[in-house]
Amino acid sequence: MVLNLLFITTVIKSTFGVVTTGLWLIPLMLAAITYYRYDAVDPESRPLDQLNLYPEYDFIVVGSGSAGAVVANRLSEVRKWKVLLIEAGPDENEISDVPSLAAYLQLSKLDWAYKTEPSTKACLGMQNNRCNWPRGRVLGGSSVLNYMLYVRGNRNDYDHWASLGNPGWDYDHVLRYFKKSEDNRNPYLANNKYHGRGGLLTVQESPWHSPLVAAFVEAGTQMGYDNRDINGAKQAGFMIAQGTIRRGSRCSTAKAFLRPIRSRKNFHLSMNSQVTRIIIEPGTMRAQAVEFVKHGKVYRIAARREVILSAGAINTPQLMMLSGLGPRKHLEKHGIRVLQDLPVGENMQDHVGMGGLTFLVDKPVAIVQDRFNPTAVTFQYVLRERGPMTTLGGVEGLAFVHTPYSNRSLDWPDIQFHMAPASINSDNGARVKKVLGLKESVYQEVYHPIANKDSWTIMPLLLRPRSRGSVKLRSANPFHYPLINANYFDDPLDAKTLVEGAKIALRVAEAQVFKQFGSRLWRKPLPNCKQHKFLSDAYLECHVRTISMTIYHPCGTAKMGPAWDPEAVVDPRLRVYGVRGLRVIDASIMPTISSGNTNAPVIMIAEKGADLIKEDWLTNPEYKVKRQANGVRDPVPAGSDIQGISTLPRNSSQSDSSNISDRSNMESNFSNFSNSSSHINLGSSSNTSNNSSNIDSSSNFTLNYADS
């Protein structure tokens, strides 16, 4: 047991870089998990990292996140198809399993740790006016870092997608894909026609609630909103949150969709493999292969049928532009050959919220980290799968409300509330302020005076922003992080709508039901907003622009649309315009952002996208692999000397750090390597006679648009 504890402490130090007093719970919790072999009770073992890759697969899926894990699972259901799933990060760990520790995964090695570009309109209370944008760099992607909230969006979202020229994406068509993946274990929803049972993704409420969330729901009813299933017939209303958890632990898409298929013979997974570009043959404009770096080697693996980009709304457009697909002027600026001029990286949307709205209570009913007994809390979680460690990242309540800017005759609210029995002050500055990137001066003046006090918060978030941001390349080096311009509040109406949402949140907090706790607003003004009257519209707008919080929902950077839409990157079947054998299946394709948390909609997109691929390749006579006269054989294992692998210089860094500066050696060596050998000779391997050249042979495959 002592050895286990020492080992776990080492893991924490290597994973998080620092162990603070705020992490007192983690070593004990991990030691208990190790001792009781908690992971072993999961019905599925962890997936394996395939070391001996084939030179060619039928389908290559890039990214194992909320979309990619689903796509890989569904495509590998067809036994004759060989599927390769490529993930830049490692597997999940024990910490990621614990719902309440979601914040501790951000800024770790499981996070790309992106930041937005400096802004004068938003993120003014963040360091250098830049908001942190966590994105999962781990098996399961951002479903491993998120707060697990299961929200489908609004019927009108999908009907709107269809009205834009995307047939088959209306609510009545996509509902079955939500239900297909869902295994809803809430008894009161068991016979609900809007929910599924028996799917791979477990959905349920946290088994532990604070008294404050019941008061929050009751306050909503006092204001005239129903206590309802917001994923059901109507959305406007209040409810206790549902989340993707299973037996008290996080149910990521890796756990739900990849662990059950670890033994499929036609499925391979390559972890710690960062894709650098998609190789597209200019003559035929067909996606032929995927190039990626793994353990200091550059691999090029051919795709017989298709490459599917499921790398998320940041990495997918970055990879497309690195591969020659994107705005012509932008690619030419970075010296990248333009293969297809497309508006890649544009149309980016995100849900931005107003953080820091804090209410104090007199009774010990909130989550205060230093109050919990570490032994009791840990073993309540490990042995009984209950307790405060099962909370959905701390969020307990959800609500959807109308501001004066929305049409109340439609059930299409424009503001969502996240209610949590804690606030920025609740951990004494140990983690939350770091995750937010909050300026120390703001924290010290406003939140430090109430550190470790019982408090709760409502975070209003904007459901349908009018502002649009973008993702651009920083350089042609795939290891350089992209330029992310969130462009929050570029349209002034966005800030005004969020101000109205804050007013409604304040009215909720003033409801009679909260009086029993002595609840009252913490009235310390933000230092840069003191010139405005406290709680005036001008003050609230200043607050909105100061503590502007991403809700981790970037989307829209490879917009789905009909051929006549000049902003469209993919068609309604998710095929990239002008390129054969390449699709995008992730949040990038959303024409407009869904009204609510985006994890469930992305899983739906993946379920539908996989079905579109199956329909095309199994029923459409135009989708057949044309076999040349020399014949084609199935891929064979190629071992470590597989053709299409080249080794980076020995002094190249193999660090997994998510900071650019820490990868400078890898970047420099990769850049030099790419410049000196932009066309790797795949026939130079010592065992050429045993293996066909994967890229050269793949060029013999073309989509046959005639009968074959």
Side-chain angles (χ1 to χ4, degrees), residues 163-184:
S163 73
L164 294 176
N166 299 295
W169 288 93
D170 58 279
Y171 179 76
D172 289 337
H173 278 88
V174 303
L175 176 59
R176 73 183 185 95
Y177 289 109
F178 281 115
K179 295 171 66 175
K180 178 180 180 179
S181 61
E182 184 184 16
D183 180 22
N184 197 301

Side-chain angles (χ1 to χ4, degrees), residues 53-341:
L53 299 173
Y54 297 144
E56 178 185 79
Y57 292 82
D58 289 287
F59 296 94
I60 299 178
V61 183
V62 179
S64 71
S66 298
V70 179
V71 173
N73 178 299
R74 298 309 187 189
L75 293 185
S76 61
E77 290 174 342
V78 181
R79 294 183 181 181
K80 67 180 181 180
W81 288 348
K82 292 179 172 60
V83 178
L84 172 64
L85 176 62
I86 303 175
E87 168 54 45
D91 198 359
E92 302 171 274
N93 56 37
E94 287 79 2
I95 294 174
S96 66
D97 255 5
V98 184
S100 66
L101 297 183
Y104 289 93
L105 301 170
Q106 296 175 21
L107 304 181
S108 75
K109 289 183 179 180
L110 306 185
D111 179 11
W112 285 99
Y114 291 130
K115 290 180 181 293
T116 62
E117 291 303 294
S119 172
T120 59
K121 299 177 182 178
C123 308
L124 304 182
M126 310 307 180
Q127 296 172 18
N128 301 315
N129 292 11
R130 304 177 73 187
C131 278
N132 289 343
W133 267 30
R135 293 284 87 198
R137 189 172 183 263
V138 58
L139 199 66
S142 295
S143 75
V144 176
L145 270 63
N146 68 7
Y147 283 28
M148 296 149 282
L149 300 173
Y150 185 81
V151 180
R152 293 178 176 175
N154 191 288
R155 166 188 288 272
N156 293 293
D157 297 328
Y158 307 107
D159 290 345
H160 179 59
W161 290 7
S163 73
L164 294 176
N166 299 295
W169 288 93
D170 58 279
Y171 179 76
D172 289 337
H173 278 88
V174 303
L175 176 59
R176 73 183 185 95
Y177 289 109
F178 281 115
K179 295 171 66 175
K180 178 180 180 179
S181 61
E182 184 184 16
D183 180 22
N184 197 301
R185 298 183 181 181
N186 291 314
Y188 66 93
L189 297 176
N191 298 318
N192 187 314
K193 68 178 183 178
Y194 294 97
H195 290 279
R197 297 291 298 273
L200 295 174
L201 183 73
T202 306
V203 177
Q204 60 186 109
E205 292 178 7
S206 167
W208 185 90
H209 302 130
S210 75
L212 290 167
V213 70
F216 171 75
V217 174
E218 176 62 23
T221 62
Q222 291 178 7
M223 293 182 61
Y225 284 95
D226 290 334
N227 174 8
R228 71 163 74 254
D229 169 25
I230 53 89
N231 292 313
K234 294 184 178 180
Q235 187 181 50
F238 286 60
M239 77 172 297
I240 294 175
Q242 302 176 52
T244 51
I245 59 173
R246 177 187 296 167
R247 299 191 309 276
S249 295
R250 178 188 295 272
C251 184
S252 68
T253 54
K255 181 182 288 188
F257 293 92
L258 295 182
R259 293 189 187 187
I261 66 170
R262 65 187 297 272
S263 299
R264 283 184 184 169
K265 294 182 179 180
N266 63 331
F267 170 69
H268 280 173
L269 167 66
S270 183
M271 289 186 278
N272 299 299
S273 305
Q274 183 166 343
V275 174
T276 54
R277 63 172 173 146
I278 309 303
I279 299 173
I280 300 169
E281 206 287 313
T284 62
M285 285 301 292
R286 181 185 183 277
Q288 290 186 325
V290 174
E291 178 181 274
F292 60 94
V293 175
K294 180 174 184 174
H295 303 318
K297 292 182 178 180
V298 177
Y299 290 68
R300 286 184 175 181
I301 305 296
R304 176 192 278 190
R305 299 176 190 267
E306 290 190 20
V307 174
I308 297 101
L309 287 175
S310 299
I314 306 301
N315 296 82
T316 285
Q318 181 188 23
L319 284 173
M320 293 182 75
M321 288 185 281
L322 289 169
S323 306
L325 310 176
R328 178 176 297 278
K329 290 182 179 180
H330 181 61
L331 298 189
E332 290 175 344
K333 172 184 174 182
H334 293 292
I336 298 173
R337 180 182 180 183
V338 180
L339 297 179
Q340 187 73 12
D341 185 4

Side-chain angles (χ1 to χ4, degrees), residues 539-598:
Y539 177 85
L540 291 174
E541 181 168 341
C542 181
H543 187 140
V544 161
R545 294 180 183 274
T546 300
I547 307 184
S548 318
M549 291 179 57
T550 176
I551 314 299
Y552 319 122
H553 301 158
C555 66
T557 49
K559 180 185 177 183
M560 172 177 65
W564 45 260
D565 182 352
E567 297 180 345
V569 174
V570 302
D571 68 13
R573 301 190 72 81
L574 310 185
R575 300 170 297 193
V576 176
Y577 279 113
V579 184
R580 294 178 174 180
L582 181 64
R583 296 193 205 221
V584 176
I585 304 180
D586 60 25
S588 306
I589 67 98
M590 291 187 179
T592 54
I593 194 168
S594 58
S595 300
N597 302 70
T598 53

Side-chain angles (χ1 to χ4, degrees), residues 379-510:
F379 284 97
Q380 189 179 16
Y381 171 74
V382 173
L383 299 180
R384 300 186 59 221
E385 300 167 349
R386 295 182 177 276
M389 297 183 74
T390 65
T391 60
L392 304 173
V395 177
E396 289 195 310
L398 298 176
F400 290 84
V401 299
H402 291 276
T403 74
Y405 293 105
S406 69
N407 185 348
R408 296 184 70 93
S409 65
L410 296 175
D411 178 46
W412 207 0
D414 54 350
I415 290 289
Q416 180 183 359
F417 290 156
H418 286 179
M419 175 270 165
S423 191
I424 295 174
N425 57 291
S426 300
D427 67 349
N428 197 23
R431 193 67 188 171
V432 175
K433 73 172 183 180
K434 297 176 183 177
V435 168
L436 296 180
L438 196 66
K439 290 177 179 176
E440 186 66 25
S441 59
V442 175
Y443 178 82
Q444 288 298 328
E445 181 167 342
V446 180
Y447 299 105
H448 181 69
I450 54 172
N452 281 325
K453 300 288 186 181
D454 279 88
S455 60
W456 65 284
T457 189
I458 298 177
M459 182 191 301
L461 62 95
L462 185 67
L463 285 177
R464 289 183 298 284
R466 295 164 178 82
S467 305
R468 296 291 185 267
S470 65
V471 175
K472 300 290 186 183
L473 294 178
R474 189 178 300 271
S475 75
N477 190 322
F479 294 98
H480 284 173
Y481 280 11
L483 298 170
I484 302 172
N485 178 17
N487 210 26
Y488 292 144
F489 310 128
D490 181 62
D491 188 317
L493 197 55
D494 286 349
K496 293 183 183 300
T497 304
L498 204 45
V499 165
E500 294 300 323
K503 292 179 184 178
I504 299 172
L506 290 169
R507 292 202 296 272
V508 171
E510 291 170 356

